[in-house]
Amino acid sequence: MASSTYALGLFILGLCSLLGLFPVTALAQVGALFFLINVGLLAAFLFRWNKRFSDPSLTTLQVHLAVTTVAVILVLGREVQFIAAPFYSVLFVFGMLGLRPRQLAGVAAYVLVTYCAAVVMRYKLYGGVLDLRVEAVSAALVVGSSVWFATAAGYISNLRARLNASMQHIASLATHDALTGLWNRRQIDLDLEAAINHAERHGSVLCIALVDVDHFKVINDRYGHAVGDEVLVNVAHCLAASVRVGDKAARFGGEEFLLVLPTASMAQASAL
């Protein structure tokens, strides 16, 4: 994604150079900068240096490097101020894929700081020939688009986070019993089949325990279903706390629970 974005930027700058809007020497310098950035990022991923950071995708670093290169382009080319807004917009879209709202706000602030610095440098280098009306319009576009994209990107990022949370909740509902939080019947059937296949393939032992709550109907009839549900929840907590790592505890149906205990002997299973 990053490499293709740099390639697109270099193509646009090459077109500007053909039209006489961007110096050939500046194009070569920007091309070398693009090459160094991509080689550095590639090396970071190949040698797993990215694993040392809290964001292994290095999205924040990539976006900030790209923002810096836009500022460099604006300084090197007197007549390419019109590329700032669309280039920044592409970077904000890229940032939406991996940055949180606060990080996107930081990117917007960095865009404004580096753009202001580029404007100051442009005025010092080309002040006598700059069309201040065009510069003012370009500045307004950059500021406006940065604020808009930062706001929109934050909104989309929040939607994405809510969607991920909803997907995780749906996945949990598909595999867990809503009352007890244990695995449900569907999931334990799959786990049981896998455990049986593993035991047959490796010649290992496998214990299966069916746990039934005695006189559960009497509890429901005498104290009500709310108390009965509380009993089931407490039994589920006891079972979950008793099994070993790798064991499976599930609500099999009603007041029945199923334990799948790979590699457990009868003595070990009885001790549980």
Side-chain angles (χ1 to χ4, degrees):
M1 178 67 180
S3 298
S4 60
T5 303
Y6 279 108
L8 175 62
L10 196 59
F11 171 78
I12 293 174
L13 290 176
L15 185 60
C16 291
S17 182
L18 287 175
L19 296 174
L21 299 175
F22 195 64
V24 175
T25 54
L27 179 64
Q29 292 170 338
V30 172
L33 180 60
F34 283 3
F35 176 77
L36 290 175
I37 290 174
N38 280 275
V39 168
L41 291 172
L42 179 62
F45 287 110
L46 286 177
F47 294 103
R48 298 185 178 277
W49 297 332
N50 58 311
K51 300 296 184 181
R52 303 175 184 177
F53 297 89
S54 57
D55 174 23
S57 67
L58 302 180
T59 303
T60 303
L61 175 62
Q62 293 187 61
V63 172
H64 281 80
L65 285 173
V67 169
T68 305
T69 60
V70 174
V72 171
I73 291 168
L74 292 174
V75 173
L76 293 177
R78 176 171 59 88
E79 298 179 282
V80 292
Q81 69 277 4
F82 59 88
I83 70 165
F87 274 29
Y88 288 138
S89 300
V90 170
L91 297 179
F92 275 115
V93 172
F94 180 73
M96 288 183 202
L97 302 176
L99 299 181
R100 295 186 294 273
R102 182 175 297 181
Q103 293 173 311
L104 289 167
V107 170
Y110 187 68
V111 165
L112 296 178
V113 169
T114 54
Y115 180 75
C116 289
V119 168
V120 171
M121 291 296 298
R122 285 170 60 80
Y123 185 77
K124 288 184 177 180
L125 293 172
Y126 317 115
V129 291
L130 287 179
D131 188 332
L132 297 182
R133 296 170 300 175
V134 175
E135 294 295 315
V137 171
S138 298
L141 285 173
V142 169
V143 174
S145 63
S146 296
V147 173
W148 188 90
F149 270 101
T151 303
Y155 177 72
I156 293 173
S157 179
N158 283 328
L159 287 181
R160 189 177 70 246
R162 290 165 57 187
L163 177 61
N164 289 338
S166 297
M167 293 297 293
Q168 291 175 2
H169 180 62
I170 292 172
S172 177
L173 290 177
T175 57
H176 289 76
D177 177 63
L179 176 63
T180 63
L182 297 180
W183 299 109
N184 59 19
R185 173 70 177 268
R186 176 181 176 276
Q187 185 62 38
I188 200 62
D189 284 344
L190 297 174
D191 291 335
L192 178 58
E193 181 180 0
I196 292 173
N197 291 337
H198 183 274
E200 291 177 344
R201 186 165 58 250
H202 296 279
S204 57
V205 295
L206 170 66
C207 277
I208 302 168
L210 184 62
V211 180
D212 182 80
V213 180
D214 292 336
H215 311 299
F216 184 70
K217 186 177 184 304
V218 175
I219 296 173
N220 271 340
D221 293 341
R222 181 173 300 177
Y223 301 105
H225 290 280
V227 174
D229 288 348
E230 186 176 347
V231 170
L232 292 177
V233 170
N234 288 331
V235 171
H237 288 170
C238 290
L239 293 175
S242 300
V243 296
R244 308 163 304 170
V245 175
D247 294 341
K248 299 288 185 179
R251 187 181 180 191
F252 201 58
E255 70 274 20
E256 294 179 336
F257 298 85
L258 187 69
L259 304 181
V260 179
L261 312 170
T263 71
S265 63
M266 287 297 295
Q268 291 172 317
S270 299
L272 292 176

